[in-house]
Amino acid sequence: MARRSDLVGLTVLAMLSVRPGHPYELHRFIVDTHKDYVTGLPRSLYHAVERLAAEKLIVPVETSREGRRPERTTYAITDQGQRELADRLRELLANPGSERRTFTAAVSLIGVLPVPDALQALRARAAAIEENLAAMDGHLKSLKDAGLPDVLTIELDYERTLSDTELAWVRRVVARLESGELAWSGTVNRDLLAQVLDKS
């Protein structure tokens, strides 16, 4: 999974890192918490679970049946799955080269990382965005100096503005993490997930 942008699989790993669950529960949680970057439900979710199980990132731990409902298999994340989740999340948070939807997904799941790991990844992202902005500024200046009218470079100005806004947001989150204002130790836990799932 680490070499592809598998947002559904990443979300499954994140949820199973909190507590074991079966695909129907995971589906309800995704819908109820508005993880709108996850598309193709429910088929994409079941395919992701099959794929993660085949890769030994999750394992079945129980099969149960309630009344006339179909059998439900509960899955738990493996140690390998935990490592994959942490590596992939850190990579997506730190690398501004990924598309914005992917970064939104990573931010949505940030609470499964230890705060120091999240902070380190976001600092790396801020530094990379600063470098990108400096390169964009140089490129825009060279085009302007060459006499190119602004209307022909307006899309570059748009991209620069988006990156500048993202940098400001990342810096605010880093500051909140550094000050302790934003913290989630003990917040993203089994009880919280159970509350959401029990409302489903």
Side-chain angles (χ1 to χ4, degrees):
M1 192 184 80
R3 301 190 182 186
R4 60 181 182 271
S5 183
D6 179 8
L7 300 184
V8 184
L10 188 71
T11 304
V12 169
L13 288 178
M15 291 188 295
L16 294 181
S17 74
V18 178
R19 79 165 200 185
H22 54 72
Y24 178 76
E25 283 181 315
L26 304 179
H27 180 199
R28 291 305 324 152
F29 184 80
I30 289 169
V31 171
D32 292 345
T33 56
H34 301 282
K35 307 291 185 201
D36 296 332
Y37 58 83
V38 177
T39 58
L41 292 172
R43 181 183 299 255
S44 63
L45 175 67
Y46 284 93
H47 285 169
V49 167
E50 288 175 10
R51 193 166 53 247
L52 293 170
E55 294 173 5
K56 308 290 190 224
L57 300 178
I58 64 174
V59 291
V61 291
E62 180 186 26
T63 301
S64 61
R65 182 193 301 269
E66 291 180 20
R68 297 183 180 186
R69 292 180 177 176
E71 276 191 349
R72 289 182 174 169
T73 301
T74 298
Y75 291 88
I77 192 169
T78 63
D79 289 344
Q80 182 184 347
Q82 291 277 13
R83 287 190 298 274
E84 177 71 17
L85 169 64
D87 290 348
R88 185 70 177 133
L89 264 183
R90 284 192 297 261
E91 176 190 335
L92 293 177
L93 289 168
N95 177 16
S98 58
E99 61 179 29
R100 294 189 195 285
R101 177 173 159 264
T102 303
F103 182 53
T104 299
V107 168
S108 171
L109 304 173
I110 197 171
V112 301
L113 286 178
V115 171
D117 287 10
L119 188 53
Q120 182 180 9
L122 290 173
R123 283 180 181 143
R125 187 180 193 89
I129 294 172
E130 287 169 356
E131 287 182 19
N132 290 345
L133 283 170
M136 279 190 225
D137 287 343
H139 185 54
L140 280 166
K141 184 179 183 309
S142 68
L143 293 174
K144 192 173 187 73
D145 290 348
L148 215 60
D150 288 349
V151 71
L152 295 180
T153 61
I154 197 165
E155 77 280 6
L156 298 176
D157 181 59
Y158 169 71
E159 287 297 328
R160 194 211 177 283
T161 301
L162 291 178
S163 292
D164 196 42
T165 302
E166 181 180 318
L167 177 60
W169 183 84
V170 170
R171 284 175 172 163
R172 283 196 305 275
V173 173
V174 166
R176 292 178 69 197
L177 286 168
E178 288 174 337
S179 71
E181 176 196 342
L182 178 62
W184 51 81
S185 179
T187 301
V188 182
N189 57 32
R190 290 171 177 258
D191 292 339
L192 178 64
L193 185 57
Q195 286 173 13
V196 176
L197 293 173
D198 290 345
K199 291 176 184 175
S200 308

